[in-house]
mmCIF file with all atom_site columns, all heavy atoms in Angstrom:
data_model
loop_
_atom_site.group_PDB
_atom_site.id
_atom_site.type_symbol
_atom_site.label_atom_id
_atom_site.label_alt_id
_atom_site.label_comp_id
_atom_site.label_asym_id
_atom_site.label_entity_id
_atom_site.label_seq_id
_atom_site.pdbx_PDB_ins_code
_atom_site.Cartn_x
_atom_site.Cartn_y
_atom_site.Cartn_z
_atom_site.occupancy
_atom_site.B_iso_or_equiv
_atom_site.pdbx_formal_charge
_atom_site.auth_seq_id
_atom_site.auth_comp_id
_atom_site.auth_asym_id
_atom_site.auth_atom_id
_atom_site.pdbx_PDB_model_num
ATOM 1   N N   . TYR A 1 57  ? 15.281 1.566  -5.391 1.00 0.00 ? 57  TYR A N   1
ATOM 2   C CA  . TYR A 1 57  ? 16.126 2.833  -5.450 1.00 0.00 ? 57  TYR A CA  1
ATOM 3   C C   . TYR A 1 57  ? 15.793 3.607  -6.704 1.00 0.00 ? 57  TYR A C   1
ATOM 4   O O   . TYR A 1 57  ? 15.713 4.854  -6.642 1.00 0.00 ? 57  TYR A O   1
ATOM 5   C CB  . TYR A 1 57  ? 17.588 2.549  -5.311 1.00 0.00 ? 57  TYR A CB  1
ATOM 6   C CG  . TYR A 1 57  ? 18.457 3.813  -5.514 1.00 0.00 ? 57  TYR A CG  1
ATOM 7   C CD1 . TYR A 1 57  ? 18.465 4.808  -4.563 1.00 0.00 ? 57  TYR A CD1 1
ATOM 8   C CD2 . TYR A 1 57  ? 19.261 3.950  -6.726 1.00 0.00 ? 57  TYR A CD2 1
ATOM 9   C CE1 . TYR A 1 57  ? 19.237 5.923  -4.827 1.00 0.00 ? 57  TYR A CE1 1
ATOM 10  C CE2 . TYR A 1 57  ? 19.973 5.107  -6.890 1.00 0.00 ? 57  TYR A CE2 1
ATOM 11  C CZ  . TYR A 1 57  ? 20.042 6.043  -5.894 1.00 0.00 ? 57  TYR A CZ  1
ATOM 12  O OH  . TYR A 1 57  ? 20.765 7.127  -6.133 1.00 0.00 ? 57  TYR A OH  1
ATOM 13  N N   . LYS A 1 91  ? 49.606 34.800 0.429  1.00 0.00 ? 91  LYS A N   1
ATOM 14  C CA  . LYS A 1 91  ? 50.543 35.092 1.512  1.00 0.00 ? 91  LYS A CA  1
ATOM 15  C C   . LYS A 1 91  ? 51.437 33.831 1.856  1.00 0.00 ? 91  LYS A C   1
ATOM 16  O O   . LYS A 1 91  ? 52.576 34.007 2.160  1.00 0.00 ? 91  LYS A O   1
ATOM 17  C CB  . LYS A 1 91  ? 49.653 35.353 2.779  1.00 0.00 ? 91  LYS A CB  1
ATOM 18  C CG  . LYS A 1 91  ? 50.423 36.194 3.845  1.00 0.00 ? 91  LYS A CG  1
ATOM 19  C CD  . LYS A 1 91  ? 49.341 36.758 4.778  1.00 0.00 ? 91  LYS A CD  1
ATOM 20  C CE  . LYS A 1 91  ? 49.936 37.075 6.059  1.00 0.00 ? 91  LYS A CE  1
ATOM 21  N NZ  . LYS A 1 91  ? 48.830 37.463 7.037  1.00 0.00 ? 91  LYS A NZ  1
ATOM 22  N N   . HIS A 1 92  ? 50.833 32.655 1.637  1.00 0.00 ? 92  HIS A N   1
ATOM 23  C CA  . HIS A 1 92  ? 51.623 31.422 1.865  1.00 0.00 ? 92  HIS A CA  1
ATOM 24  C C   . HIS A 1 92  ? 51.499 30.523 0.674  1.00 0.00 ? 92  HIS A C   1
ATOM 25  O O   . HIS A 1 92  ? 51.268 29.289 0.800  1.00 0.00 ? 92  HIS A O   1
ATOM 26  C CB  . HIS A 1 92  ? 51.051 30.678 3.091  1.00 0.00 ? 92  HIS A CB  1
ATOM 27  C CG  . HIS A 1 92  ? 51.050 31.461 4.375  1.00 0.00 ? 92  HIS A CG  1
ATOM 28  N ND1 . HIS A 1 92  ? 52.183 31.611 5.151  1.00 0.00 ? 92  HIS A ND1 1
ATOM 29  C CD2 . HIS A 1 92  ? 50.117 32.222 4.994  1.00 0.00 ? 92  HIS A CD2 1
ATOM 30  C CE1 . HIS A 1 92  ? 51.956 32.364 6.219  1.00 0.00 ? 92  HIS A CE1 1
ATOM 31  N NE2 . HIS A 1 92  ? 50.647 32.712 6.109  1.00 0.00 ? 92  HIS A NE2 1
ATOM 32  N N   . THR A 1 107 ? 47.572 10.349 0.071  1.00 0.00 ? 107 THR A N   1
ATOM 33  C CA  . THR A 1 107 ? 46.393 9.707  0.457  1.00 0.00 ? 107 THR A CA  1
ATOM 34  C C   . THR A 1 107 ? 45.901 8.804  -0.693 1.00 0.00 ? 107 THR A C   1
ATOM 35  O O   . THR A 1 107 ? 45.490 7.662  -0.453 1.00 0.00 ? 107 THR A O   1
ATOM 36  C CB  . THR A 1 107 ? 45.222 10.702 0.866  1.00 0.00 ? 107 THR A CB  1
ATOM 37  O OG1 . THR A 1 107 ? 44.290 10.047 1.654  1.00 0.00 ? 107 THR A OG1 1
ATOM 38  C CG2 . THR A 1 107 ? 44.625 11.388 -0.290 1.00 0.00 ? 107 THR A CG2 1
ATOM 39  N N   . THR A 1 120 ? 41.682 -5.726 -1.502 1.00 0.00 ? 120 THR A N   1
ATOM 40  C CA  . THR A 1 120 ? 40.334 -5.087 -1.623 1.00 0.00 ? 120 THR A CA  1
ATOM 41  C C   . THR A 1 120 ? 39.860 -5.123 -3.119 1.00 0.00 ? 120 THR A C   1
ATOM 42  O O   . THR A 1 120 ? 40.690 -5.063 -4.050 1.00 0.00 ? 120 THR A O   1
ATOM 43  C CB  . THR A 1 120 ? 40.417 -3.627 -1.170 1.00 0.00 ? 120 THR A CB  1
ATOM 44  O OG1 . THR A 1 120 ? 40.964 -3.524 0.105  1.00 0.00 ? 120 THR A OG1 1
ATOM 45  C CG2 . THR A 1 120 ? 39.017 -3.006 -1.184 1.00 0.00 ? 120 THR A CG2 1
ATOM 46  N N   . ASP A 1 121 ? 38.527 -5.351 -3.323 1.00 0.00 ? 121 ASP A N   1
ATOM 47  C CA  . ASP A 1 121 ? 37.951 -5.420 -4.700 1.00 0.00 ? 121 ASP A CA  1
ATOM 48  C C   . ASP A 1 121 ? 38.387 -4.187 -5.433 1.00 0.00 ? 121 ASP A C   1
ATOM 49  O O   . ASP A 1 121 ? 38.280 -3.060 -4.955 1.00 0.00 ? 121 ASP A O   1
ATOM 50  C CB  . ASP A 1 121 ? 36.527 -5.489 -4.469 1.00 0.00 ? 121 ASP A CB  1
ATOM 51  C CG  . ASP A 1 121 ? 35.784 -5.865 -5.768 1.00 0.00 ? 121 ASP A CG  1
ATOM 52  O OD1 . ASP A 1 121 ? 35.713 -7.082 -6.088 1.00 0.00 ? 121 ASP A OD1 1
ATOM 53  O OD2 . ASP A 1 121 ? 35.261 -4.961 -6.521 1.00 0.00 ? 121 ASP A OD2 1
ATOM 54  N N   . SER A 1 150 ? 27.918 6.129  -6.656 1.00 0.00 ? 150 SER A N   1
ATOM 55  C CA  . SER A 1 150 ? 27.168 6.083  -5.331 1.00 0.00 ? 150 SER A CA  1
ATOM 56  C C   . SER A 1 150 ? 28.101 5.687  -4.289 1.00 0.00 ? 150 SER A C   1
ATOM 57  O O   . SER A 1 150 ? 27.984 6.214  -3.043 1.00 0.00 ? 150 SER A O   1
ATOM 58  C CB  . SER A 1 150 ? 26.099 5.069  -5.440 1.00 0.00 ? 150 SER A CB  1
ATOM 59  O OG  . SER A 1 150 ? 24.823 5.759  -5.571 1.00 0.00 ? 150 SER A OG  1
ATOM 60  N N   . ASP B 2 56  ? 26.472 31.259 -2.799 1.00 0.00 ? 56  ASP B N   1
ATOM 61  C CA  . ASP B 2 56  ? 26.395 31.065 -1.409 1.00 0.00 ? 56  ASP B CA  1
ATOM 62  C C   . ASP B 2 56  ? 25.162 30.150 -1.043 1.00 0.00 ? 56  ASP B C   1
ATOM 63  O O   . ASP B 2 56  ? 25.265 29.300 -0.172 1.00 0.00 ? 56  ASP B O   1
ATOM 64  C CB  . ASP B 2 56  ? 26.293 32.414 -0.647 1.00 0.00 ? 56  ASP B CB  1
ATOM 65  C CG  . ASP B 2 56  ? 27.643 33.155 -0.671 1.00 0.00 ? 56  ASP B CG  1
ATOM 66  O OD1 . ASP B 2 56  ? 28.630 32.467 -0.907 1.00 0.00 ? 56  ASP B OD1 1
ATOM 67  O OD2 . ASP B 2 56  ? 27.602 34.370 -0.498 1.00 0.00 ? 56  ASP B OD2 1
ATOM 68  N N   . THR B 2 68  ? 20.595 11.959 -2.724 1.00 0.00 ? 68  THR B N   1
ATOM 69  C CA  . THR B 2 68  ? 20.151 10.948 -3.599 1.00 0.00 ? 68  THR B CA  1
ATOM 70  C C   . THR B 2 68  ? 21.258 9.921  -3.978 1.00 0.00 ? 68  THR B C   1
ATOM 71  O O   . THR B 2 68  ? 21.020 8.690  -3.835 1.00 0.00 ? 68  THR B O   1
ATOM 72  C CB  . THR B 2 68  ? 19.497 11.602 -4.968 1.00 0.00 ? 68  THR B CB  1
ATOM 73  O OG1 . THR B 2 68  ? 18.638 12.590 -4.502 1.00 0.00 ? 68  THR B OG1 1
ATOM 74  C CG2 . THR B 2 68  ? 18.863 10.571 -5.750 1.00 0.00 ? 68  THR B CG2 1
ATOM 75  N N   . PRO B 2 69  ? 22.464 10.458 -4.442 1.00 0.00 ? 69  PRO B N   1
ATOM 76  C CA  . PRO B 2 69  ? 23.514 9.444  -4.687 1.00 0.00 ? 69  PRO B CA  1
ATOM 77  C C   . PRO B 2 69  ? 24.011 8.682  -3.439 1.00 0.00 ? 69  PRO B C   1
ATOM 78  O O   . PRO B 2 69  ? 24.378 7.559  -3.528 1.00 0.00 ? 69  PRO B O   1
ATOM 79  C CB  . PRO B 2 69  ? 24.663 10.317 -5.268 1.00 0.00 ? 69  PRO B CB  1
ATOM 80  C CG  . PRO B 2 69  ? 24.238 11.739 -5.133 1.00 0.00 ? 69  PRO B CG  1
ATOM 81  C CD  . PRO B 2 69  ? 22.833 11.767 -4.847 1.00 0.00 ? 69  PRO B CD  1
ATOM 82  N N   . GLN B 2 83  ? 33.003 -6.926 1.877  1.00 0.00 ? 83  GLN B N   1
ATOM 83  C CA  . GLN B 2 83  ? 34.394 -6.303 1.855  1.00 0.00 ? 83  GLN B CA  1
ATOM 84  C C   . GLN B 2 83  ? 34.602 -5.282 2.990  1.00 0.00 ? 83  GLN B C   1
ATOM 85  O O   . GLN B 2 83  ? 35.445 -4.480 2.910  1.00 0.00 ? 83  GLN B O   1
ATOM 86  C CB  . GLN B 2 83  ? 34.546 -5.558 0.489  1.00 0.00 ? 83  GLN B CB  1
ATOM 87  C CG  . GLN B 2 83  ? 34.594 -6.475 -0.658 1.00 0.00 ? 83  GLN B CG  1
ATOM 88  C CD  . GLN B 2 83  ? 35.966 -6.721 -1.186 1.00 0.00 ? 83  GLN B CD  1
ATOM 89  O OE1 . GLN B 2 83  ? 36.852 -5.814 -1.249 1.00 0.00 ? 83  GLN B OE1 1
ATOM 90  N NE2 . GLN B 2 83  ? 36.337 -7.996 -1.456 1.00 0.00 ? 83  GLN B NE2 1
ATOM 91  N N   . HIS B 2 86  ? 37.959 -4.674 4.286  1.00 0.00 ? 86  HIS B N   1
ATOM 92  C CA  . HIS B 2 86  ? 38.744 -4.287 3.187  1.00 0.00 ? 86  HIS B CA  1
ATOM 93  C C   . HIS B 2 86  ? 38.521 -2.858 2.692  1.00 0.00 ? 86  HIS B C   1
ATOM 94  O O   . HIS B 2 86  ? 39.297 -2.328 1.941  1.00 0.00 ? 86  HIS B O   1
ATOM 95  C CB  . HIS B 2 86  ? 38.577 -5.251 1.993  1.00 0.00 ? 86  HIS B CB  1
ATOM 96  C CG  . HIS B 2 86  ? 39.050 -6.627 2.239  1.00 0.00 ? 86  HIS B CG  1
ATOM 97  N ND1 . HIS B 2 86  ? 38.325 -7.593 2.862  1.00 0.00 ? 86  HIS B ND1 1
ATOM 98  C CD2 . HIS B 2 86  ? 40.278 -7.236 1.959  1.00 0.00 ? 86  HIS B CD2 1
ATOM 99  C CE1 . HIS B 2 86  ? 38.954 -8.681 2.937  1.00 0.00 ? 86  HIS B CE1 1
ATOM 100 N NE2 . HIS B 2 86  ? 40.226 -8.490 2.424  1.00 0.00 ? 86  HIS B NE2 1
ATOM 101 N N   . SER B 2 94  ? 44.587 5.688  4.807  1.00 0.00 ? 94  SER B N   1
ATOM 102 C CA  . SER B 2 94  ? 44.800 6.775  3.858  1.00 0.00 ? 94  SER B CA  1
ATOM 103 C C   . SER B 2 94  ? 44.450 8.134  4.360  1.00 0.00 ? 94  SER B C   1
ATOM 104 O O   . SER B 2 94  ? 45.113 9.136  4.091  1.00 0.00 ? 94  SER B O   1
ATOM 105 C CB  . SER B 2 94  ? 44.068 6.506  2.509  1.00 0.00 ? 94  SER B CB  1
ATOM 106 O OG  . SER B 2 94  ? 42.736 6.617  2.651  1.00 0.00 ? 94  SER B OG  1
ATOM 107 N N   . ASP B 2 126 ? 55.948 36.129 11.491 1.00 0.00 ? 126 ASP B N   1
ATOM 108 C CA  . ASP B 2 126 ? 54.951 36.230 10.461 1.00 0.00 ? 126 ASP B CA  1
ATOM 109 C C   . ASP B 2 126 ? 53.754 37.040 10.978 1.00 0.00 ? 126 ASP B C   1
ATOM 110 O O   . ASP B 2 126 ? 52.723 36.496 11.300 1.00 0.00 ? 126 ASP B O   1
ATOM 111 C CB  . ASP B 2 126 ? 54.479 34.759 10.062 1.00 0.00 ? 126 ASP B CB  1
ATOM 112 C CG  . ASP B 2 126 ? 53.783 34.783 8.769  1.00 0.00 ? 126 ASP B CG  1
ATOM 113 O OD1 . ASP B 2 126 ? 53.779 35.818 8.065  1.00 0.00 ? 126 ASP B OD1 1
ATOM 114 O OD2 . ASP B 2 126 ? 53.039 33.855 8.533  1.00 0.00 ? 126 ASP B OD2 1
ATOM 115 N N   . GLU B 2 128 ? 50.562 39.122 11.465 1.00 0.00 ? 128 GLU B N   1
ATOM 116 C CA  . GLU B 2 128 ? 49.282 39.210 10.679 1.00 0.00 ? 128 GLU B CA  1
ATOM 117 C C   . GLU B 2 128 ? 48.964 40.613 10.278 1.00 0.00 ? 128 GLU B C   1
ATOM 118 O O   . GLU B 2 128 ? 48.964 41.513 11.020 1.00 0.00 ? 128 GLU B O   1
ATOM 119 C CB  . GLU B 2 128 ? 48.185 38.587 11.589 1.00 0.00 ? 128 GLU B CB  1
ATOM 120 C CG  . GLU B 2 128 ? 48.151 37.125 11.699 1.00 0.00 ? 128 GLU B CG  1
ATOM 121 C CD  . GLU B 2 128 ? 47.977 36.501 10.275 1.00 0.00 ? 128 GLU B CD  1
ATOM 122 O OE1 . GLU B 2 128 ? 47.174 37.037 9.468  1.00 0.00 ? 128 GLU B OE1 1
ATOM 123 O OE2 . GLU B 2 128 ? 48.669 35.592 9.950  1.00 0.00 ? 128 GLU B OE2 1
#
Side-chain angles (χ1 to χ4, degrees):
Chain A
Y57 173 68
K91 209 165 157 189
H92 300 279
T107 200
T120 307
D121 193 82
S150 259
Chain B
D56 287 340
T68 311
Q83 294 260 316
H86 293 85
S94 65
D126 193 18
E128 278 304 316

